[in-house]
Amino acid sequence: MPGLAPGIFIWKMLSKTGIIPAHKKTIREEFDMARVALVTGGTRGIGAAISKALKAAGYKVAASYAGNDAAAETFKAETGIPVYKWDVSSFDACAAGVKKVEADLGPVDVLVNNAGITKDTAFHKMTLDQWNAVINTNLGSLFNMTRQVIEGMRARKFGRVINISSVNGQKGQFGQVNYSAAKAGDIGFTKSLALETAKGGITVNVICPGYINTEMVQAVPKEVLDKNILPQIPVNRLGEPEEIARSVVFLAADDAGFITGSTLTVNGGQYMV
């Protein structure tokens, strides 16, 4: 099971050979040995799908969120995944939040930097507040969050950092200078940190989703979707949040240790690099 620490796999193999007596692990024991995954923006949309998929794969999952208490409580009730509220654009809030998660679940082995916002407008109309809010949340949060867990990952010689960027960070988008700049920055952050951590058992990768069937895209008028968006996508459909989630589970696995500094594009062929 991807979310289980290597000790469980080794124990099972030795049990089969008779080197150690066979002993069936209890659910509690397997839970205690499971790796801990933290997903920012993990209670809605793509983040919720990621949180659920990681839990299904055997990880102990924590999901952070920024402000929608009702949605977070509904998510918690439906999934059993603990939720934590803090602002990822604040370094101090991230430090306190990660400390609480680790006190509850254990050291974070897998960090998914998924939280993001949009404040779209043409650049000549963009305010400083609109620029700063998007840059600080969508790019600054990668520093704020990853800095809290990187030392522990280095000490344990294992870690997975998975950043969620966007197709618009690769190709640009009208009215999204702030968003595209931040998401392009996520890619540069990923490549540079991957170089620094590769020898220490820590991988750092980035996923660039295209148009995904979330609440935000569902709010687009159907005629706009059919005439302006779907024709750009060769597979002629929106992606599903679960498709992004499966990509995260793949990159989070112990078996994905040879993949680092990579950009995984999940966009239905909309933009090929």
Side-chain angles (χ1 to χ4, degrees):
M1 187 175 288
L4 297 180
I8 291 181
F9 175 78
I10 295 170
W11 170 83
K12 288 180 177 178
M13 293 300 100
L14 292 177
S15 295
K16 289 179 179 179
T17 63
I19 295 175
I20 62 173
H23 167 67
K24 184 177 181 181
K25 289 285 186 181
T26 66
I27 293 175
R28 178 75 250 179
E29 287 172 327
E30 292 208 350
F31 180 78
D32 287 342
M33 294 184 71
R35 295 201 184 280
V36 175
L38 171 56
V39 183
T40 67
T43 63
R44 300 172 63 195
I46 291 173
I50 293 170
S51 297
K52 293 174 185 177
L54 286 168
K55 181 181 179 181
Y59 295 84
K60 290 189 286 187
V61 180
S64 82
Y65 71 102
N68 192 326
D69 295 322
E73 288 304 315
T74 298
F75 171 84
K76 179 181 178 181
E78 291 177 349
T79 65
I81 295 172
V83 298
Y84 300 83
K85 183 179 181 179
W86 72 76
D87 177 6
V88 293
S89 71
S90 165
F91 183 86
D92 291 341
C94 291
V98 171
K99 184 177 181 180
K100 180 68 167 65
V101 169
E102 294 195 323
D104 291 346
L105 300 180
V108 173
D109 299 301
V110 178
L111 173 64
V112 183
N113 287 310
N114 169 73
I117 63 171
T118 58
K119 291 187 179 293
D120 297 349
T121 188
F123 183 74
H124 69 279
K125 298 179 180 179
M126 187 175 292
T127 66
L128 180 60
D129 286 344
Q130 289 172 321
W131 171 266
N132 285 338
V134 172
I135 294 295
N136 292 340
T137 298
N138 296 10
L139 177 58
S141 65
L142 271 63
F143 175 84
N144 296 339
M145 288 298 304
T146 309
R147 191 64 184 83
Q148 313 306 327
V149 302
I150 197 68
E151 290 299 329
M153 290 179 175
R154 283 165 53 89
R156 296 187 301 276
K157 299 188 182 303
F158 179 89
R160 298 287 185 263
V161 179
I162 302 165
N163 301 314
I164 307 301
S165 178
S166 167
V167 64
N168 291 342
Q170 297 175 298
K171 71 177 186 61
Q173 178 63 35
F174 183 94
Q176 287 196 326
V177 170
N178 49 4
Y179 183 84
S180 295
K183 291 301 186 178
D186 292 348
I187 298 172
F189 176 99
T190 297
K191 293 179 182 294
S192 296
L193 186 59
L195 289 172
E196 294 186 13
T197 61
K199 291 183 179 179
I202 302 165
T203 66
V204 189
N205 294 289
V206 60
I207 297 172
C208 290
Y211 283 97
I212 306 300
N213 189 23
T214 60
E215 291 179 15
M216 181 175 66
V217 175
Q218 290 167 4
V220 175
K222 188 176 186 303
E223 59 273 18
V224 174
L225 185 68
D226 291 342
K227 293 181 180 179
N228 299 331
I229 295 178
L230 290 180
Q232 300 179 37
I233 306 172
V235 301
N236 198 39
R237 67 172 178 85
L238 299 175
E240 294 298 331
E242 291 75 18
E243 292 176 295
I244 307 302
R246 286 193 289 271
S247 301
V248 170
V249 172
F250 167 70
L251 291 173
D254 287 23
D255 291 343
F258 200 60
I259 304 170
T260 194
S262 293
T263 303
L264 179 57
T265 57
V266 189
N267 60 34
Q270 179 186 357
Y271 186 74
M272 302 182 187
V273 291

